[in-house]
Amino acid sequence: MEVAMTVATPESHGFDSRRLAAVGAFVKERYVDSGKLPNAQLLVAREGAIVHLSSTGTAREGGAAIDETSLFRIASMTKPITSVAFMMLVEQGLVAVDTPVHHVLPELKGVGVYNGGGGGVPFLTKPTSEPMRMVDLLRHTSGLTYGFQNRTNIDAAYRESKMENWHGGHDLQGFVAALGKLPLEFTPGSAWNYSVSTDVLGAVVERVSGQTLDAFFRDRIFAPLKMDDTFFQVPPDKLDRLTDCYTFVPGKGRIMYDRGEASAWARAPKLLSGGGGLVSTALDYHRFTAMCLNGGELDGARILGRKTIDLMTRNHLPGGSDLSQMSKSLFSEAANAGTGFGLGFAVNIDVARSMVPGSAGEYYWGGMFSTAFFIDPVERLTMVFMTQMSPSSVYPIRRELKTMIYSALT
């Protein structure tokens, strides 16, 4: 599949152009003009051809408007890229989806399940009934957690040890060693919890490949896909394109979180976060989604085999269950009902239960700064949405976008 970087006519790809244009107008009026979001960029494509690309709002406070060159922190939209990197190593026969994690990361051998303690008292643990396997990292059933969940004594310990701090804390290998000293929340495979699993998967990629994660991404994924604007650290000559980033504070509205001109993403992170560290553009991420839609290949560059993408985008939750049955997570980038989880992506397994138009087998994810994407292999449809405001749960914009995009199909 050749990916056109010019915008095709919506009608030539089965869209009503007026209805599609209304999506961009809705985002501008409802979210950007009202001040809820600083900016918004929406890219919709069918069969790899862009049928809608709209940008609204400013890149920086009082500055110029965003455009196709604007750089956005994509946070957890890094996770599918890390998952693809791991599956590339699976295809080489170097590791398998059911390999116990401690075979590659011995620091995690013998990690137990929480059985008491914390809050200044030593942790008590009991043995896991199943080892943590690579599939558990890919589908978030590892028993690991995130410090920001604020649910348990374990995520409190993550916060206390600054486990997820990218600057000045651990490097990726030290991060794994520190995790090995803390208990799991549950036996791997028995529940679902949004977690640092994909960061651990990044450490697996480093160990198995012998490359640092940033080098592996650059050499094996970004260069072949011509994703020249995707990186962990924004180069000095591209820093002027990095947008400001905001966070929502109840009672205060949106406040500055990270200024583009003085961004933390301009510095090399000590911890290369395969779970959340990348910066990208809508056009670059469109190339990644087009590669996935096209069965692992784009413009002559094959990243994965067709059947590997097929495996990744099936529901891997035990017993065919969905997140509403398995999730212990306070927060996720997915709606729970009708949503399964594959190897790095949420998967739509029941359109009716999701209560939003879509297709069975559509897969997707989002990031904490309200970015999102979805890939629908039935309708051959992809979307990339960029903005910069955390947390992503403040506004229902993702379901609104999906509803309006699907309503524009003819």
Side-chain angles (χ1 to χ4, degrees):
M1 180 165 74
E2 295 288 320
V3 163
M5 285 296 140
T6 53
V7 179
T9 61
E11 271 72 14
S12 66
H13 287 79
F15 276 99
D16 180 319
S17 56
R18 285 171 306 179
R19 284 186 160 222
L20 207 47
V23 190
F26 169 84
V27 172
K28 180 180 187 300
E29 187 181 329
R30 170 76 63 92
Y31 287 103
V32 180
D33 291 352
S34 67
K36 290 185 173 80
L37 294 178
N39 49 47
Q41 192 165 71
L42 175 65
L43 186 156
V44 181
R46 203 165 195 196
E47 289 288 3
I50 299 168
V51 293
H52 175 92
L53 180 57
S54 59
S55 303
T56 180
T58 58
R60 293 185 178 175
E61 226 168 31
I66 59 165
D67 61 23
E68 286 101 273
T69 68
S70 296
L71 293 165
F72 300 88
R73 301 151 192 81
I74 61 170
S76 289
M77 278 165 56
T78 306
K79 288 180 170 74
I81 295 172
T82 305
S83 304
V84 162
F86 173 80
M87 295 305 291
M88 292 169 79
L89 299 171
V90 171
E91 287 192 335
Q92 288 180 257
L94 299 174
V95 65
V97 172
D98 63 351
T99 300
V101 176
H102 71 263
H103 286 191
V104 176
L105 302 175
E107 299 94 320
L108 298 181
K109 186 175 171 62
V111 172
V113 176
Y114 178 78
N115 199 30
V121 179
F123 282 119
L124 302 172
T125 63
K126 56 189 177 189
T128 61
S129 46
E130 290 289 331
M132 186 194 299
R133 302 180 196 277
M134 298 301 175
V135 66
D136 295 307
L137 298 178
L138 287 154
R139 69 185 179 189
H140 294 284
T141 55
S142 61
L144 298 166
T145 188
Y146 264 130
F148 63 71
Q149 294 265 13
N150 289 313
R151 286 186 314 118
T152 66
N153 284 340
I154 302 164
D155 51 47
Y158 278 44
R159 291 193 300 278
E160 197 176 304
S161 62
K162 297 186 169 59
M163 188 69 73
E164 297 144 49
N165 188 341
W166 298 348
H167 294 280
H170 304 288
D171 64 9
L172 195 44
Q173 305 305 328
F175 166 80
V176 171
L179 272 181
K181 298 183 171 68
L182 295 173
L184 301 175
E185 295 214 327
F186 48 81
T187 274
S190 65
W192 189 93
N193 186 42
Y194 197 36
S195 73
V196 298
S197 289
T198 319
D199 291 282
V200 176
L201 196 68
V204 171
V205 170
E206 287 201 344
R207 293 274 174 102
V208 173
S209 71
Q211 280 189 286
T212 59
L213 193 61
D214 53 347
F216 187 98
F217 281 0
R218 184 188 64 234
D219 297 348
R220 303 280 300 274
I221 300 175
F222 301 154
L225 291 180
K226 301 185 175 66
M227 293 172 65
D228 301 327
D229 286 326
T230 307
F231 20 65
F232 285 105
Q233 180 186 5
V234 181
D237 63 340
K238 295 186 178 184
L239 189 60
D240 61 324
R241 292 161 47 193
L242 181 63
T243 50
D244 285 344
C245 190
Y246 298 82
T247 192
F248 181 84
V249 176
K252 291 184 180 174
R254 66 176 170 91
I255 61 167
M256 187 67 70
Y257 172 80
D258 182 69
R259 284 193 188 279
E261 64 197 19
S263 176
W265 278 261
R267 311 198 306 273
K270 188 170 181 186
L271 177 68
L272 290 168
S273 172
L278 288 174
V279 167
S280 190
T281 63
L283 288 174
D284 262 22
Y285 212 87
H286 165 57
R287 295 190 69 82
F288 178 76
T289 63
M291 176 275 294
C292 293
L293 181 69
N294 202 40
E297 181 269 341
L298 183 68
D299 295 348
R302 180 155 294 282
I303 304 299
L304 284 174
R306 176 173 62 85
K307 295 301 281 186
T308 300
I309 294 280
D310 182 50
L311 176 67
M312 292 178 77
T313 56
R314 291 170 182 262
N315 181 23
H316 287 260
L317 295 181
S321 55
D322 72 359
L323 294 185
S324 69
Q325 295 160 298
M326 285 202 70
S327 178
K328 290 182 177 292
S329 195
L330 266 191
F331 172 81
S332 150
E333 299 293 345
N336 285 353
T339 303
F341 214 88
L343 306 180
F345 306 92
V347 182
N348 189 338
I349 56 174
D350 189 332
V351 178
R353 291 198 67 210
S354 78
M355 294 190 278
V356 178
S359 302
E362 159 218 332
Y363 52 103
Y364 65 96
W365 205 235
M368 70 178 286
F369 301 118
S370 303
T371 61
F373 78 94
F374 71 77
I375 300 168
D376 181 338
V378 179
E379 296 290 349
R380 308 293 295 164
L381 174 65
T382 59
M383 179 207 81
V384 178
F385 178 72
M386 296 293 199
T387 186
Q388 296 284 261
M389 226 263 307
S390 73
S392 59
S393 53
V394 179
Y395 303 117
I397 188 166
R398 291 175 182 171
R399 64 186 298 132
E400 293 164 348
L401 287 171
K402 244 190 110 196
T403 299
M404 295 184 79
I405 291 165
Y406 276 98
S407 77
L409 282 171
T410 55

